[in-house]
Amino acid sequence: MIRIFILVAFAIVFNINTNLNASNMENKLTLLQEKTVTISAFAAKGELDKLSIELNAGLDAGLTVNETKEVLVHLYAYCGFPRSLQGLLTLMDVLEQRKTKGINDNWGREATPITDNGNKYDRGKKILAEITGVPAPEGRLTTGFAGFSPEIETFLKEHLFADIFERDVLTYAQREMVTVSVLMSIGGVEPMLNSHMNISLNVGISPSQLKEMIQIIDVNIGKDEASAAQSVLSNLLGNRNMN
Protein backbone atom coordinates (compact mmCIF):
# COMPACT_ATOMS: atom_id res chain seq x y z
CA MET A 1 0.00 0.00 0.00
CA ILE A 2 2.78 2.42 0.92
CA ARG A 3 4.61 1.50 -2.27
CA ILE A 4 1.51 2.27 -4.36
CA PHE A 5 1.11 5.63 -2.58
CA ILE A 6 4.74 6.53 -3.32
CA LEU A 7 4.33 5.58 -6.97
CA VAL A 8 1.15 7.65 -7.29
CA ALA A 9 2.78 10.64 -5.58
CA PHE A 10 5.80 10.33 -7.87
CA ALA A 11 3.55 10.21 -10.91
CA ILE A 12 1.69 13.35 -9.79
CA VAL A 13 4.91 15.27 -9.17
CA PHE A 14 6.38 14.08 -12.47
CA ASN A 15 3.25 15.18 -14.31
CA ILE A 16 3.30 18.61 -12.64
CA ASN A 17 6.97 19.12 -13.52
CA THR A 18 6.35 17.97 -17.09
CA ASN A 19 3.46 20.41 -17.46
CA LEU A 20 5.53 23.25 -16.00
CA ASN A 21 8.41 22.50 -18.34
CA ALA A 22 6.04 22.35 -21.29
CA SER A 23 4.50 25.67 -20.24
CA ASN A 24 7.93 27.24 -19.92
CA MET A 25 8.89 25.98 -23.37
CA GLU A 26 5.69 27.40 -24.86
CA ASN A 27 6.35 30.79 -23.28
CA LYS A 28 10.00 30.99 -24.29
CA LEU A 29 10.98 32.82 -27.45
CA THR A 30 12.03 30.54 -30.27
CA LEU A 31 15.31 31.18 -32.09
CA LEU A 32 13.36 32.59 -35.04
CA GLN A 33 11.54 34.98 -32.73
CA GLU A 34 14.81 36.05 -31.11
CA LYS A 35 16.24 36.84 -34.53
CA THR A 36 13.09 38.75 -35.46
CA VAL A 37 13.66 40.94 -32.40
CA THR A 38 17.35 41.59 -33.06
CA ILE A 39 16.83 42.19 -36.79
CA SER A 40 14.04 44.68 -36.05
CA ALA A 41 16.04 46.42 -33.32
CA PHE A 42 19.27 46.86 -35.27
CA ALA A 43 17.41 47.96 -38.40
CA ALA A 44 15.45 50.53 -36.37
CA LYS A 45 18.67 51.90 -34.87
CA GLY A 46 20.51 51.89 -38.19
CA GLU A 47 23.30 49.67 -36.86
CA LEU A 48 23.91 48.00 -40.19
CA ASP A 49 27.03 45.97 -39.34
CA LYS A 50 25.18 44.29 -36.48
CA LEU A 51 22.09 43.97 -38.65
CA SER A 52 24.12 42.12 -41.27
CA ILE A 53 25.26 39.60 -38.66
CA GLU A 54 21.71 39.07 -37.40
CA LEU A 55 20.30 38.75 -40.92
CA ASN A 56 22.78 35.94 -41.57
CA ALA A 57 21.86 34.33 -38.26
CA GLY A 58 18.14 34.66 -38.98
CA LEU A 59 18.44 33.07 -42.40
CA ASP A 60 20.60 30.28 -40.95
CA ALA A 61 17.94 29.71 -38.28
CA GLY A 62 15.21 29.25 -40.88
CA LEU A 63 13.69 32.65 -41.61
CA THR A 64 12.71 32.75 -45.26
CA VAL A 65 13.85 35.60 -47.46
CA ASN A 66 10.26 36.83 -47.87
CA GLU A 67 9.65 36.75 -44.11
CA THR A 68 12.84 38.73 -43.55
CA LYS A 69 11.90 41.21 -46.25
CA GLU A 70 8.46 41.62 -44.67
CA VAL A 71 10.00 42.36 -41.26
CA LEU A 72 12.10 45.14 -42.81
CA VAL A 73 9.15 46.51 -44.80
CA HIS A 74 6.83 46.45 -41.78
CA LEU A 75 9.14 48.48 -39.56
CA TYR A 76 9.03 51.51 -41.88
CA ALA A 77 5.60 52.34 -40.44
CA TYR A 78 7.20 52.80 -37.02
CA CYS A 79 10.70 54.17 -37.67
CA GLY A 80 10.53 55.52 -41.22
CA PHE A 81 11.45 54.68 -44.81
CA PRO A 82 15.17 55.51 -44.41
CA ARG A 83 15.72 52.78 -41.80
CA SER A 84 13.55 50.33 -43.72
CA LEU A 85 15.33 50.94 -47.02
CA GLN A 86 18.75 50.68 -45.38
CA GLY A 87 17.66 47.39 -43.88
CA LEU A 88 16.48 46.06 -47.23
CA LEU A 89 19.71 47.13 -48.95
CA THR A 90 21.67 45.38 -46.21
CA LEU A 91 19.59 42.23 -46.76
CA MET A 92 20.33 42.40 -50.48
CA ASP A 93 24.07 42.54 -49.73
CA VAL A 94 23.78 39.64 -47.28
CA LEU A 95 21.93 37.49 -49.81
CA GLU A 96 24.49 38.24 -52.50
CA GLN A 97 27.36 37.33 -50.17
CA ARG A 98 25.62 34.11 -49.17
CA LYS A 99 25.00 33.26 -52.82
CA THR A 100 28.72 33.59 -53.61
CA LYS A 101 29.36 31.11 -50.80
CA GLY A 102 27.00 28.63 -52.38
CA ILE A 103 24.16 29.20 -49.93
CA ASN A 104 20.75 28.97 -51.58
CA ASP A 105 18.32 30.58 -49.17
CA ASN A 106 14.66 29.61 -49.01
CA TRP A 107 12.56 32.47 -50.38
CA GLY A 108 9.35 31.08 -48.90
CA ARG A 109 5.85 32.00 -49.91
CA GLU A 110 4.71 35.44 -50.95
CA ALA A 111 1.70 37.30 -49.60
CA THR A 112 -1.68 36.02 -50.71
CA PRO A 113 -3.29 38.51 -53.13
CA ILE A 114 -5.96 40.64 -51.44
CA THR A 115 -9.32 39.98 -53.05
CA ASP A 116 -11.50 41.98 -50.63
CA ASN A 117 -12.80 44.97 -52.56
CA GLY A 118 -14.56 46.45 -49.54
CA ASN A 119 -13.90 49.96 -48.30
CA LYS A 120 -10.25 50.02 -47.20
CA TYR A 121 -10.90 52.29 -44.22
CA ASP A 122 -13.52 49.86 -42.91
CA ARG A 123 -11.19 46.90 -43.50
CA GLY A 124 -8.53 48.65 -41.47
CA LYS A 125 -11.01 49.38 -38.67
CA LYS A 126 -12.01 45.72 -38.61
CA ILE A 127 -8.40 44.52 -38.29
CA LEU A 128 -7.66 47.07 -35.58
CA ALA A 129 -10.71 45.94 -33.63
CA GLU A 130 -9.62 42.32 -34.02
CA ILE A 131 -6.14 42.82 -32.62
CA THR A 132 -7.09 45.27 -29.86
CA GLY A 133 -10.25 43.49 -28.75
CA VAL A 134 -12.06 46.84 -28.76
CA PRO A 135 -15.17 47.06 -30.98
CA ALA A 136 -14.78 49.46 -33.89
CA PRO A 137 -16.77 52.69 -33.51
CA GLU A 138 -19.36 53.65 -36.07
CA GLY A 139 -18.11 55.96 -38.79
CA ARG A 140 -14.82 57.80 -38.62
CA LEU A 141 -12.98 59.06 -35.55
CA THR A 142 -13.25 62.83 -35.18
CA THR A 143 -11.61 63.45 -31.80
CA GLY A 144 -7.99 63.75 -30.66
CA PHE A 145 -5.34 63.47 -33.34
CA ALA A 146 -7.98 62.10 -35.76
CA GLY A 147 -9.95 65.32 -35.48
CA PHE A 148 -6.84 67.47 -35.72
CA SER A 149 -5.41 65.54 -38.68
CA PRO A 150 -8.03 63.44 -40.49
CA GLU A 151 -5.36 62.65 -43.08
CA ILE A 152 -3.20 60.61 -40.73
CA GLU A 153 -6.28 58.83 -39.37
CA THR A 154 -7.04 57.76 -42.94
CA PHE A 155 -3.46 56.63 -43.52
CA LEU A 156 -3.45 54.62 -40.30
CA LYS A 157 -6.63 52.73 -41.12
CA GLU A 158 -6.25 52.35 -44.88
CA HIS A 159 -2.52 51.84 -45.18
CA LEU A 160 -1.15 50.51 -41.88
CA PHE A 161 -4.01 48.29 -40.78
CA ALA A 162 -5.30 47.39 -44.24
CA ASP A 163 -2.44 47.44 -46.74
CA ILE A 164 0.23 46.20 -44.33
CA PHE A 165 -1.52 44.09 -41.70
CA GLU A 166 -3.59 42.31 -44.35
CA ARG A 167 -0.43 40.86 -45.88
CA ASP A 168 -0.21 37.32 -44.56
CA VAL A 169 3.54 36.69 -44.95
CA LEU A 170 3.69 37.49 -41.23
CA THR A 171 1.05 36.78 -38.60
CA TYR A 172 -0.40 39.52 -36.41
CA ALA A 173 1.79 38.22 -33.55
CA GLN A 174 4.91 38.43 -35.69
CA ARG A 175 4.04 41.95 -36.78
CA GLU A 176 3.51 43.03 -33.20
CA MET A 177 6.83 41.47 -32.22
CA VAL A 178 8.51 43.60 -34.89
CA THR A 179 6.59 46.70 -33.82
CA VAL A 180 7.37 46.33 -30.12
CA SER A 181 11.04 45.67 -30.87
CA VAL A 182 11.25 48.83 -32.96
CA LEU A 183 9.44 51.00 -30.39
CA MET A 184 11.62 49.73 -27.54
CA SER A 185 14.75 50.43 -29.57
CA ILE A 186 13.99 53.98 -30.69
CA GLY A 187 12.71 55.01 -27.24
CA GLY A 188 10.65 58.02 -26.24
CA VAL A 189 7.37 56.57 -27.51
CA GLU A 190 6.13 54.91 -24.34
CA PRO A 191 2.37 55.53 -24.93
CA MET A 192 2.56 53.77 -28.29
CA LEU A 193 4.76 51.03 -26.80
CA ASN A 194 2.11 50.47 -24.14
CA SER A 195 -0.58 50.13 -26.81
CA HIS A 196 1.40 47.63 -28.84
CA MET A 197 2.49 45.58 -25.84
CA ASN A 198 -1.21 45.39 -24.98
CA ILE A 199 -2.02 44.25 -28.52
CA SER A 200 0.84 41.72 -28.31
CA LEU A 201 -0.83 40.10 -25.32
CA ASN A 202 -4.12 40.01 -27.24
CA VAL A 203 -2.60 38.21 -30.24
CA GLY A 204 -0.80 35.51 -28.30
CA ILE A 205 2.54 36.87 -27.15
CA SER A 206 2.99 35.98 -23.48
CA PRO A 207 4.21 38.27 -20.67
CA SER A 208 7.32 36.12 -20.31
CA GLN A 209 8.07 36.50 -24.02
CA LEU A 210 7.74 40.29 -23.74
CA LYS A 211 10.12 40.20 -20.76
CA GLU A 212 12.58 38.15 -22.79
CA MET A 213 12.32 40.66 -25.63
CA ILE A 214 13.22 43.41 -23.16
CA GLN A 215 16.26 41.39 -22.07
CA ILE A 216 17.35 41.18 -25.70
CA ILE A 217 17.02 44.95 -26.02
CA ASP A 218 19.02 45.37 -22.79
CA VAL A 219 21.91 43.30 -24.14
CA ASN A 220 21.91 44.57 -27.72
CA ILE A 221 20.55 48.14 -27.68
CA GLY A 222 20.92 49.64 -24.20
CA LYS A 223 19.90 49.57 -20.57
CA ASP A 224 18.00 52.86 -20.74
CA GLU A 225 15.76 51.59 -23.54
CA ALA A 226 15.23 48.30 -21.72
CA SER A 227 14.46 50.03 -18.42
CA ALA A 228 11.84 52.26 -20.04
CA ALA A 229 10.26 49.24 -21.73
CA GLN A 230 10.22 47.27 -18.48
CA SER A 231 8.42 50.11 -16.74
CA VAL A 232 5.76 50.17 -19.47
CA LEU A 233 5.31 46.40 -19.30
CA SER A 234 5.12 46.33 -15.50
CA ASN A 235 2.38 48.98 -15.47
CA LEU A 236 0.49 47.22 -18.26
CA LEU A 237 0.60 43.82 -16.56
CA GLY A 238 -0.51 45.41 -13.31
CA ASN A 239 -3.48 47.04 -14.99
CA ARG A 240 -4.41 43.71 -16.59
CA ASN A 241 -3.83 41.79 -13.34
CA MET A 242 -1.23 39.64 -15.06
CA ASN A 243 1.76 40.22 -12.75
Side-chain angles (χ1 to χ4, degrees), residues 36-205:
T36 297
V37 174
T38 52
I39 288 170
S40 302
F42 287 134
K45 295 292 284 187
E47 298 188 20
L48 303 184
D49 290 340
K50 294 178 181 178
L51 174 61
S52 179
I53 293 171
E54 291 306 301
L55 287 170
N56 273 289
L59 293 167
D60 287 341
L63 279 174
T64 69
V65 175
N66 282 329
E67 287 171 338
T68 310
K69 283 169 54 181
E70 197 75 16
V71 166
L72 296 170
V73 169
H74 180 91
L75 63 82
Y76 96 81
Y78 297 95
C79 62
F81 272 112
R83 294 298 195 212
S84 178
L85 292 174
Q86 281 188 307
L88 288 166
L89 290 171
T90 303
L91 175 59
M92 290 171 63
D93 289 341
V94 165
L95 292 173
E96 188 61 32
Q97 291 168 12
R98 290 169 68 86
K99 186 176 180 180
T100 62
K101 296 176 182 177
I103 301 174
N104 295 313
D105 289 299
N106 176 19
W107 279 75
R109 70 181 186 84
E110 297 184 354
T112 303
I114 304 299
T115 58
D116 188 341
N117 294 320
N119 180 276
K120 192 182 290 187
Y121 183 89
D122 290 336
R123 282 157 44 199
K125 280 206 310 181
K126 181 180 178 181
I127 291 174
L128 181 59
E130 183 179 350
I131 63 178
T132 60
V134 178
E138 294 292 333
R140 300 177 65 95
L141 289 178
T142 58
T143 59
F145 71 82
F148 182 72
S149 176
E151 300 84 359
I152 201 166
E153 161 67 4
T154 298
F155 297 155
L156 279 169
K157 295 297 192 303
E158 294 189 359
H159 183 47
L160 176 57
F161 291 111
D163 287 337
I164 298 179
F165 269 76
E166 276 188 323
R167 291 174 55 81
D168 61 1
V169 176
L170 300 178
T171 65
Y172 290 162
Q174 288 173 309
R175 291 191 181 280
E176 284 307 314
M177 193 163 282
V178 174
T179 302
V180 169
S181 300
V182 169
L183 297 178
M184 289 193 294
S185 299
I186 63 177
V189 286
E190 283 72 23
M192 185 174 286
L193 177 58
N194 178 81
S195 295
H196 282 280
M197 282 185 168
N198 193 43
I199 293 174
S200 296
L201 295 169
N202 292 340
V203 297
I205 298 174

Side-chain angles (χ1 to χ4, degrees), residues 29-43:
L29 291 177
T30 66
L31 180 58
L32 290 182
Q33 289 172 327
E34 289 179 11
K35 293 306 152 189
T36 297
V37 174
T38 52
I39 288 170
S40 302
F42 287 134

